[in-house]
Amino acid sequence: MSNFRAKQSSSHRLTALWIVSILVYAFLYIPLIIVVVFSFNDSKLNAEWVGFTFHWYKALLHNHEMLLAARNSLIIAVSASVLATVLGTMAGLAIHRYKLKVLPVLAFTPVAMPEILLGVSLLLFFLQVLNLTLGMLSIIIAHTTFCIGFVAIIVRARLQGMDESIFEAARDLGATPWQTFRQITLPLIRPAIIAGALMSFTLSIDDFVITFFTKGAGEPILPIQIYTMIKVAVTPEVNAVSTLLMLLTLTLIIIATRFDNSMLGKS
């Protein structure tokens, strides 16, 4: 009898867990689904569904301001991800090798710091310390600073799962530090580097808060451009560009996750 009650209680807890999980995921994903659906709405307003159309996606192809903002965002995201990947990989290697307590603090603080605080700090640093004119360069530097920690975390996690005897064997066979890095360390951490680069690109291309504080009055940036558009009204064109940005972000996250999973599978 007691076993039956225990099983019944466990079944009730499992059912409650499923219900809560479904409600949480519905809360997270139903608004995204609505954005995607109404990007195909044949109406200038999102008050009701009128009909299916690709008009708003075609309109994006002829929107010079939006295309310019997308180009600028891609340039910033590629530049920031490349710089963050190089510096973040070096930081991950240094943290793993030297075991200094200050290194993780320096590398991971931008990750833990609220974005609004990081944005204000970088703004003051650019204007009052560097006397730098705000623009694409300041955004690239800011995004690189923000993304380094994510790359360092991924690379460090990969290094922690590796067998140190591999490197000891390389040194015993007479390999130099550079040969050990190029022929052993780099191939083993390559999936982590690629995953970190994709994560950096994803974080950079749709970042709003840091971009808002470090952007000058020059050329448009995609997240800021979307924000400017929704201040008037949330039109299907806004839904269309949001859907494309969402699709790009999800694709990169899935690719990064696959690299991360393959990395864990090989460790």
Side-chain angles (χ1 to χ4, degrees):
M1 187 67 179
S2 60
N3 291 336
F4 174 76
R5 290 179 178 176
K7 291 181 179 179
Q8 191 176 30
S9 176
S10 177
S11 176
H12 289 331
R13 287 196 297 267
L14 184 61
T15 302
L17 181 61
W18 272 103
I19 292 174
V20 172
S21 300
I22 291 172
L23 291 176
V24 170
Y25 281 110
F27 177 78
L28 292 174
Y29 288 103
I30 286 179
L32 300 180
I33 295 173
I34 292 174
V35 169
V36 174
V37 170
F38 275 87
S39 68
F40 299 100
N41 188 21
D42 191 13
S43 172
K44 290 186 177 181
L45 301 176
N46 281 324
E48 60 179 352
W49 178 264
V50 176
F52 185 88
T53 182
F54 287 105
H55 169 74
W56 304 110
Y57 290 91
K58 296 177 182 177
L60 287 177
L61 298 177
H62 297 87
N63 189 328
H64 175 73
E65 196 77 8
M66 187 63 70
L67 293 177
L68 183 60
R71 188 204 68 176
N72 292 338
S73 293
L74 285 174
I75 293 173
I76 292 170
V78 170
S79 302
S81 61
V82 170
L83 292 172
T85 300
V86 174
L87 298 175
T89 300
M90 295 169 63
L93 290 168
I95 292 170
H96 176 75
R97 177 173 299 178
Y98 298 110
K99 310 297 183 184
L100 297 176
K101 293 183 179 180
V102 69
L103 291 179
V105 175
L106 293 175
F108 303 153
T109 296
V111 176
M113 187 182 298
E115 283 196 44
I116 188 169
L117 179 58
L118 183 60
V120 172
S121 301
L122 289 170
L123 173 63
L124 296 176
F125 178 72
F126 291 147
L127 294 181
Q128 298 183 3
V129 178
L130 297 183
N131 195 23
L132 179 67
T133 301
L134 297 181
M136 291 185 63
L137 178 60
S138 61
I139 298 175
I140 291 173
I141 296 174
H143 285 196
T144 301
T145 304
F146 175 64
C147 294
I148 286 175
F150 290 94
V151 180
I153 291 172
I154 296 174
V155 172
R156 184 194 184 192
R158 172 56 176 161
L159 288 168
Q160 286 181 331
M162 291 167 55
D163 188 359
E164 292 293 331
S165 63
I166 300 175
F167 308 106
E168 294 176 3
R171 287 192 292 267
D172 292 339
L173 293 173
T176 63
W178 170 247
Q179 289 174 328
T180 302
F181 173 77
R182 184 171 58 87
Q183 299 181 7
I184 298 177
T185 306
L186 186 59
L188 289 175
I189 66 173
R190 185 178 293 119
I193 295 174
I194 296 175
L198 293 173
M199 184 65 68
S200 299
F201 184 91
T202 302
L203 292 170
S204 175
I205 198 168
D206 62 359
D207 180 82
F208 174 80
V209 177
I210 295 177
T211 305
F212 180 81
F213 281 101
T214 57
K215 174 186 177 296
E219 297 180 334
I221 308 298
L222 189 57
I224 308 299
Q225 186 69 19
I226 295 175
Y227 172 72
T228 303
M229 293 173 66
I230 64 174
K231 286 199 297 185
V232 178
V234 181
T235 64
E237 189 173 4
V238 175
N239 291 337
V241 67
S242 300
T243 299
L244 294 176
L245 186 59
M246 187 193 317
L247 180 62
L248 175 61
T249 302
L250 291 176
T251 301
L252 292 175
I253 290 175
I254 291 172
I255 295 173
T257 304
R258 288 185 177 274
F259 273 106
D260 192 37
N261 289 337
S262 66
M263 176 184 67
L264 293 175
K266 293 178 180 179
S267 60

